[in-house]
Amino acid sequence: MPLVSPSDPGRDDVSVNPVFTREPVRIPRNRLPDGELDPDTAYQVVHDELMLDGNARLNLATFVTTWMEPQAQRLMGESFDKNMIDKDEYPRTAELEQRCVRMLADLWHAPDPDHLSLIHIDRPNIVMGVDVQVCWEKFANYWEVEARLVPMEGERFHLTAAEVAAYCDENTIGVVVILGSTFDGSYEPVADICAVLDALQHEHGWDIPVHVDGASGAMIAPFCDPDLVWDFRLPRVASINTSGHKYGLVYPGVGWVVWRDVDALPADLVFKVNYLGGEMPTFALNFSRPGAQVIAQYYNFLRLGFDGYRRVQLYCREVASSLADRIEGLGAVSYTHL
Ligand SMILES: *Cc1c(COP(=O)(O)O)cnc(C)c1O
């Protein structure tokens, strides 16, 4: 029996009999148990409790990966013990990570070094649509940057160039443009927004860079809409992120961010640490991280290639559009009332 019971959510100690041939055990839920448990019993208790979770294969309400090939799972199982921050101990994992980054930079048309730098400003603001994911509001709060959220109106569910122009000023450190709005999946018009920012620069001298939040779309557009110009082909795009665990098709937790060139990533954000025998640059808020997801990402890149990703993404889009059409056909909910 699992440690939760819907009828009795408040009990501190629960008596369980996870393995029928053994003595039942009492297990505290909210404090560290006093003694040890046999590993089979501990396994069974945790396993049984997790049976009450949803079944990932049946989860249609997420765009995070819920299935990977058995070969990818095997590789992940073989590499759960690797800490990818320890690049001296695990140089091959570090190399696969670098290859993934170079593959993404190439996919997103990163140029040879160009010059774009973020300006230093005392009362900085950042402009984005209210459809941004909560991570951007966190960013603004933690870094004391004013979040200028452009509201949605009527049938418009994402940011457009006209609004961007009205919300920017000399203290704007960047505009976040979403490729794949979390509201409805639509692409915000990156090229139009860049053009408006070009005009602002011409008029006022403000050189405002663009970050593309391609959490979902940066792994869709290159394959399904190759003619759409949204990436580093636009000189104003300074950085792009994507979630490896969304349409990168890897189990949760891996994300990627690529800067256009070294100048676009301020050097004082990159720390050099001396760790276990070598000096290495580190840029992230957390330090130790699992290597298995990176290895699984590399497996997928190798396994699927451009054609494979294109096949999967086109098929996903077909399924999504067809489901959307049919749901609309039911007539029960109209899109504008969502
Ligand atoms: C999912 C998503 C995020 C957050 O990314 P995680 O990979 O879930 O951390 C940010 N922005 C957009 C547009 C998203 O779709």
Side-chain angles (χ1 to χ4, degrees):
M1 191 197 85
L3 297 192
V4 283
S5 136
S7 59
D8 184 16
R11 253 170 50 204
D12 278 350
D13 280 36
V14 183
S15 184
V16 291
N17 187 3
V19 184
F20 294 119
T21 50
R22 299 194 180 173
E23 284 295 301
V25 285
R26 275 192 86 71
I27 296 182
R29 274 197 296 209
N30 303 317
R31 62 177 176 83
L32 201 61
D34 295 329
E36 297 184 36
L37 266 189
D38 174 90
D40 287 334
T41 306
Y43 168 83
Q44 203 63 46
V45 167
V46 179
H47 174 90
D48 288 356
E49 176 143 12
L50 292 176
M51 288 171 70
L52 298 180
D53 266 347
N55 178 339
R57 289 296 304 279
L58 300 178
N59 184 359
L60 279 178
T62 181
F63 44 1
V64 173
T65 300
T66 52
W67 183 84
M68 291 189 78
E69 288 172 329
Q71 290 85 347
Q73 302 206 22
R74 199 183 325 147
L75 279 172
M76 291 181 84
E78 290 165 10
S79 42
F80 282 145
D81 51 359
K82 293 182 201 237
N83 180 0
M84 60 155 281
I85 203 77
D86 192 350
K87 299 187 192 307
D88 287 309
E89 191 63 27
Y90 308 115
R92 298 329 298 169
T93 299
E95 168 62 18
L96 300 193
E97 181 192 22
Q98 285 306 307
R99 283 185 211 164
C100 287
V101 171
R102 288 195 290 267
M103 286 178 189
L104 289 172
D106 180 63
L107 186 68
W108 298 336
H109 304 96
D112 292 333
D114 186 18
H115 284 287
L116 233 168
S117 57
L118 303 178
I119 24 176
H120 177 78
I121 280 172
D122 289 329
R123 283 170 298 110
N125 68 68
I126 187 164
V127 173
M128 49 208 180
V130 288
D131 54 330
V132 286
Q133 216 258 0
V134 65
C135 63
W136 289 103
E137 292 165 62
K138 288 188 191 175
F139 161 78
N141 251 335
Y142 298 167
W143 270 264
E144 297 184 347
V145 171
E146 175 197 344
R148 294 208 171 153
L149 295 172
V150 180
M152 307 285 109
E153 259 175 42
E155 295 290 298
R156 183 172 55 71
F157 290 105
H158 66 214
L159 194 63
T160 61
E163 273 88 30
V164 166
Y167 279 74
C168 288
D169 60 24
E170 71 277 14
N171 293 321
T172 303
I173 56 166
V175 174
V176 177
V177 185
I178 310 175
L179 208 68
S181 163
T182 20
F183 281 11
D184 60 359
S186 58
Y187 296 156
E188 292 185 339
V190 191
D192 290 354
I193 289 171
C194 288
V196 150
L197 293 173
D198 288 345
L200 282 184
Q201 179 169 14
H202 189 71
E203 202 179 325
H204 303 286
W206 312 331
D207 185 5
I208 303 172
V210 164
H211 172 82
V212 179
D213 179 354
S216 54
M219 285 303 288
I220 295 287
F223 305 106
C224 300
D225 310 295
D227 297 332
L228 182 74
V229 177
W230 62 274
D231 55 17
F232 292 119
R233 282 169 286 180
L234 299 166
R236 208 164 273 285
V237 171
S239 48
I240 301 173
N241 69 283
T242 198
S243 298
H245 54 219
K246 289 180 181 170
Y247 298 104
L249 307 176
V250 177
Y251 286 137
V254 57
W256 300 97
V257 56
V258 174
W259 278 264
R260 155 174 227 100
D261 55 42
V262 286
D263 293 339
L265 176 62
D268 55 3
L269 293 183
V270 181
F271 295 81
K272 294 240 172 14
V273 285
N274 194 312
Y275 189 63
L276 300 177
E279 190 171 83
M280 67 184 95
T282 162
F283 170 76
L285 289 183
N286 51 355
F287 193 65
S288 293
R289 269 169 298 149
Q293 269 73 5
V294 170
I295 289 166
Q297 181 76 80
Y298 183 69
Y299 167 80
N300 268 348
F301 284 166
L302 197 67
R303 154 82 177 91
L304 291 170
F306 188 91
D307 290 348
Y309 269 100
R310 184 175 151 81
R311 178 177 57 77
V312 173
Q313 315 305 37
L314 283 172
Y315 187 67
C316 281
R317 180 186 272 185
E318 208 178 292
V319 170
S321 314
S322 134
L323 273 175
D325 288 348
R326 287 178 204 200
I327 290 169
E328 197 173 18
L330 295 175
V333 207
S334 103
Y335 184 66
T336 48
H337 295 129
L338 279 180

